Amino acid sequence: KHIDVYAIPVFRQSRIGTLFVHRDITREYELDLMKSELVSTVSHELRTPLSSVLGFTELLLSKTMKPEKQLKYLETIHKEAKRLTDLINDFLDLQRMESGKQQYITERINLSEIVLGVIDQYKLSDTHHVLLVDEAHNSEVEADKDKIIQVLTNLLSNAIKFSPNSQEIKVLLHNEPDRIVVRIQDQGLGIPKDQIGQLFQKFRRVDNSASKKIGGTGLGLAICKEIIEKQKGSIGIESAEGEGTTVWFSLPIHRSASSRHEEEWSRWGADKEA
Ligand code: ADP
């Protein structure tokens, strides 16, 4: 807590007392901190990809070169431009969230199908990691499909990004009586215990050189938390430094699917007893 304290002498000559005025400036302090984090993130995260776009376009314009080299430079420009677009989209999402303007279009969706779709996309672009899925038997939820894809994409790209030396990433779907839990499990860098709790806050990133070397805005997890909690779910992280990280989220099972699910559970229980 940050408090401004002013001591005001009541009379100049003969002081008969002191009036203390306390003002809680925690909110202002937090806003200042957020602004300076925003400025440093924006300046670093915008400047790095922009300078490589500029550098490579200047190279391409200044001299003739072999087509293979041109292609390589163009691929880098494309990658960096995409990084900028992702960053701007994260900022816009965050801004919409904070102003309460983010809209949710909920429908009945099958989470297993969505997970498989997202993983198929990754398999096309990432051949280094092995992505394994374990499906649940009932994964119908009522949620906004595009936002759930956004959460899965964010969590999976983190798992890939922070696993530079290990290959296996598992996505596990697990049924509980009234909810479905999705776990994204990697064996990568892991997170120091004392920093896990802060990572759902905006702009927070693990403060060590290995993580800092890998780029990022520190906005992805904050966005995931907002999306999951707006849909009556929960999200959390379990991690051990040097061993790996599991980020999980849960969503309530769709109501009618849930009663069907309860029936299945009790039938299964009765069968077992018989
Ligand atoms: P970004 O990845 O853009 O930095 P996030 O909000 O998604 O932002 O993540 C915040 C931070 O949490 C990351 O910078 C990283 O330090 C840490 N983190 C997130 N996921 C993982 C993971 N799977 N393994 C290790 N660290 C992670």
Side-chain angles (χ1 to χ4, degrees), residues 29 38 45 124 138 176 180 188 206 237 265:
Y29 177 80
L38 182 88
E45 292 299 322
L124 293 176
N138 177 6
E176 289 189 1
I180 172 142
V206 168
I237 303 178
W265 270 70

Side-chain angles (χ1 to χ4, degrees), residues 153-166:
T153 308
N154 249 319
L155 300 182
L156 214 50
S157 72
N158 275 350
I160 290 172
K161 200 162 78 166
F162 295 104
S163 302
N165 307 318
S166 60

Side-chain angles (χ1 to χ4, degrees), residues 122-134:
Y122 272 97
K123 280 188 176 159
L124 293 176
S125 58
D126 178 61
T127 46
H128 174 67
H129 293 91
V130 183
L131 302 172
L132 303 169
V133 195
D134 185 10

Side-chain angles (χ1 to χ4, degrees), residues 45 87 90 154-163 184-192 195-196 198-208 210-212 214-224 237 239 244-247:
E45 292 299 322
L87 175 72
D90 273 0
N154 249 319
L155 300 182
L156 214 50
S157 72
N158 275 350
I160 290 172
K161 200 162 78 166
F162 295 104
S163 302
I184 291 99
Q185 212 171 70
D186 66 59
Q187 297 162 4
L189 301 179
I191 301 167
Q195 296 188 38
I196 295 177
Q198 307 155 12
L199 294 177
F200 286 112
Q201 291 170 29
K202 285 162 284 191
F203 305 113
R204 285 301 158 106
R205 301 169 62 199
V206 168
D207 193 10
N208 64 23
S211 302
K212 284 208 162 144
I214 301 168
T217 58
L219 292 175
L221 287 177
I223 292 172
C224 290
I237 303 178
S239 186
T245 302
T246 298
V247 183

Side-chain angles (χ1 to χ4, degrees), residues 134-193:
D134 185 10
E135 291 174 65
H137 66 277
N138 177 6
S139 64
E140 276 174 18
V141 295
E142 201 161 336
D144 184 311
K145 185 176 171 185
D146 288 340
K147 298 223 168 41
I148 296 300
I149 292 178
Q150 188 180 354
V151 170
L152 285 164
T153 308
N154 249 319
L155 300 182
L156 214 50
S157 72
N158 275 350
I160 290 172
K161 200 162 78 166
F162 295 104
S163 302
N165 307 318
S166 60
Q167 297 188 316
E168 199 173 278
I169 291 163
K170 284 187 194 151
V171 183
L172 310 167
L173 283 92
H174 167 74
N175 272 125
E176 289 189 1
D178 56 355
R179 61 179 198 153
I180 172 142
V181 186
V182 182
R183 304 170 73 81
I184 291 99
Q185 212 171 70
D186 66 59
Q187 297 162 4
L189 301 179
I191 301 167
K193 281 263 165 317

